Amino acid sequence: MNRILIIFFLSFSVLNSFASSPQVSDYLIYKNDTIPTYNLLVEQYLQTRKEDKGRLFDLSFRNSIEGTLGTSLNCWRGYQAIYEIKNDSLFVNAIIDCHALENKNQIPENYIRKLFGEKVQNNKVFIDWFSGNISFPTKRTDNKMISWDGVFERIFMYENIIEIENGTINKISEQQNYVDLKNGIDRLDRENIKNVLFNRIKNYKWTKKDKFDCSEHYTVTIGKNGKISNVVMTEYQTEELIEEYWDTKREYNYCVKSIQRALKGLQFDIIKRKGIPIESSVSLEIWFNEDGTIEN
């Protein structure tokens, strides 16, 4: 295999991870509680605006609304939205500067009229542009976060799911987002998952270690049903890259298919998002030594 530029690709991945800073949430007012929520509804409205190409107040990344608060790596939007459930409807009732709620001695300035204009009625805006489900964590002592995309969205063990049609609430229900299967492998401990995958790969009966070098970064996908649904080499996911950097596609196919066979039959617990099963990915770096041993 041609390994030229591997170091460049790995360095690029590291730099890219720094660009993905964790972002602050919006807030939802529900039954006198103000709850963090990870549903970008104002952005969906902005996408319908053509005159400013979907940019709020002509904002640039990491600027506050007024441009006076300096850069904020964890608030690229430059603002936070506050939503409210009232009767059977969902509203936006405030657009504020990032972190404005943290100042307990000052009432945040509300920019809602600057954005929505005549759509503001009784100091709030009916979210008639949104249909779908949103969620927020259920208030209970045994609740905990079970998944995070590393930037914005967080999934909790127990969540209230709100089914919405053009801003009108049809149903609010509590959902459990983790299914602990009888013989399922724990899916909450990421390091344990990596260890389980590596042990299967290490103990697999490799037949061509003397011919093919499968030392690589792999991305393993755990499907919605908790079984391994896909394995790819992280840096080589197109035909063009495979042809350019691998001496033969036969070697590439052997490595990927061997990993798939090694992991076949594993059953993990089920993780859901808003009550619906989702898949997740795990990264592994496997190294084959000249003496035939395999390292994680």
Side-chain angles (χ1 to χ4, degrees):
M1 174 186 171
N2 185 349
R3 306 274 175 156
I4 299 174
L5 297 181
I6 291 293
I7 294 177
F8 168 78
F9 284 129
L10 295 179
S11 300
F12 178 81
S13 297
V14 172
L15 291 173
N16 190 50
S17 68
F18 280 105
S20 302
S21 303
Q23 298 296 294
V24 294
S25 68
D26 286 339
Y27 291 96
L28 174 69
I29 298 173
Y30 177 65
K31 292 184 178 180
N32 297 320
D33 284 331
T34 301
I35 309 165
T37 185
Y38 303 91
N39 306 272
L40 298 173
L41 304 184
V42 169
E43 277 69 14
Q44 295 192 26
Y45 172 75
L46 292 175
Q47 291 171 9
T48 68
R49 292 166 51 121
K50 297 180 180 179
E51 65 276 9
D52 58 3
K53 298 181 181 179
R55 297 179 69 198
L56 180 55
F57 313 137
D58 198 36
L59 285 173
S60 298
F61 280 150
R62 305 187 182 100
N63 289 332
S64 66
I65 292 175
E66 292 299 319
T68 58
L69 299 181
T71 60
S72 179
L73 292 176
N74 65 353
C75 193
W76 290 349
R77 293 173 291 156
Y79 71 94
Q80 289 175 279
I82 299 179
Y83 306 103
E84 181 180 12
I85 294 175
K86 199 162 187 179
N87 299 324
D88 63 347
S89 300
L90 182 63
F91 300 91
V92 182
N93 69 8
I95 302 291
I96 61 175
D97 274 308
C98 294
H99 309 294
L101 289 183
E102 295 175 7
N103 188 344
K104 305 298 182 182
N105 300 318
Q106 184 176 348
I107 298 176
E109 184 170 353
N110 190 350
Y111 300 90
I112 192 171
R113 291 187 182 277
K114 190 173 181 180
L115 171 59
F116 290 101
E118 295 181 355
K119 286 181 72 69
V120 179
Q121 301 292 327
N122 298 319
N123 298 317
K124 56 184 178 291
V125 176
F126 179 51
I127 304 181
D128 56 4
W129 63 86
F130 177 75
S131 294
N133 295 348
I134 68 172
S135 63
F136 60 92
T138 304
K139 194 174 182 180
R140 48 189 292 171
T141 57
D142 60 343
N143 206 358
K144 62 181 179 179
M145 185 175 69
I146 61 174
S147 180
W148 179 40
D149 65 5
V151 178
F152 185 71
E153 186 180 51
R154 291 164 168 80
I155 299 175
F156 291 81
M157 178 74 77
Y158 302 99
E159 291 184 339
N160 284 313
I161 312 300
I162 310 170
E163 299 177 15
I164 301 168
E165 184 174 356
N166 298 324
T168 299
I169 296 171
N170 293 329
K171 182 181 179 182
I172 300 179
S173 61
E174 182 178 318
Q175 295 284 344
Q176 181 173 339
N177 283 324
Y178 192 84
V179 180
D180 189 356
L181 298 177
K182 183 178 180 180
N183 296 314
I185 300 168
D186 184 2
R187 205 161 155 189
L188 300 181
D189 186 342
R190 299 284 292 185
E191 287 305 313
N192 179 63
I193 293 175
K194 288 186 177 183
N195 290 335
V196 169
L197 298 178
F198 174 71
N199 285 333
R200 275 297 190 100
I201 294 169
K202 181 180 179 180
N203 294 322
Y204 177 70
K205 293 182 179 180
W206 293 86
T207 58
K208 299 180 181 179
K209 285 191 289 187
D210 56 332
K211 295 182 179 180
F212 298 141
D213 182 7
C214 295
S215 302
E216 261 304 338
H217 284 81
Y218 295 88
T219 298
V220 179
T221 301
I222 302 175
K224 298 176 182 180
N225 60 357
K227 295 182 179 295
I228 303 300
S229 61
N230 196 26
V231 175
V232 296
M233 286 188 185
T234 309
E235 304 295 341
Y236 310 99
Q237 298 190 40
T238 66
E239 291 291 335
E240 291 77 13
L241 285 173
I242 295 170
E243 291 179 5
E244 184 174 358
Y245 293 103
W246 282 82
D247 295 332
T248 67
K249 192 172 181 181
R250 182 185 173 196
E251 181 178 11
Y252 171 89
N253 287 337
Y254 166 79
C255 294
V256 171
K257 290 180 179 179
S258 293
I259 298 288
Q260 289 174 333
R261 294 189 189 100
L263 302 180
K264 185 178 180 180
L266 289 176
Q267 176 65 66
F268 291 85
D269 292 337
I270 307 296
I271 289 182
K272 299 181 179 181
R273 175 180 178 270
K274 299 177 183 177
I276 300 174
I278 60 172
E279 61 182 26
S280 61
S281 296
V282 181
S283 296
L284 289 174
E285 181 181 7
I286 309 299
W287 184 262
F288 288 74
N289 294 313
E290 291 184 359
D291 62 3
T293 59
I294 305 174
E295 292 185 30
N296 185 1

